[in-house]
């Protein structure tokens, strides 16, 4: 949404706006599928994301 507002503010067209508006999703329908997601709040992020976050924010 922020990207779309920024593009609109400068008059730039977003030709992929409709395709980009569809959020990705998946169904967790078994405990086995859910188990590895619990400590990640649903998404582990890209490789090295946690370390990059800590370095960026000094935490």
């Amino acid at each position: 949404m922020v990207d779309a507002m920024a593009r609109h503010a400068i008059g730039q067209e977003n030709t992929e706006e409709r395709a980009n508006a569809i959020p990705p999703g998946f169904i967790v329908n078994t405990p086995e599928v859910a188990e590895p997601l619990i400590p990640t709040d649903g998404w582990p992020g890209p490789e090295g994301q946690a370390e990059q976050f800590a370095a960026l924010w000094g935490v």
Side-chain angles (χ1 to χ4, degrees), residues 3-52:
D3 178 66
M5 291 187 305
R7 289 174 189 264
H8 180 75
I10 63 171
Q12 184 180 26
E13 290 291 323
N14 183 0
T15 58
E16 299 175 1
E17 184 267 332
R18 285 292 87 201
N20 294 341
I22 301 170
F26 58 94
I27 297 173
V28 178
N29 56 3
T30 66
E32 293 78 24
V33 173
E35 190 66 35
L37 299 173
I38 292 170
T40 66
D41 290 328
W43 184 64
E47 187 70 33
Q49 177 265 334
E51 294 79 14
Q52 291 175 17

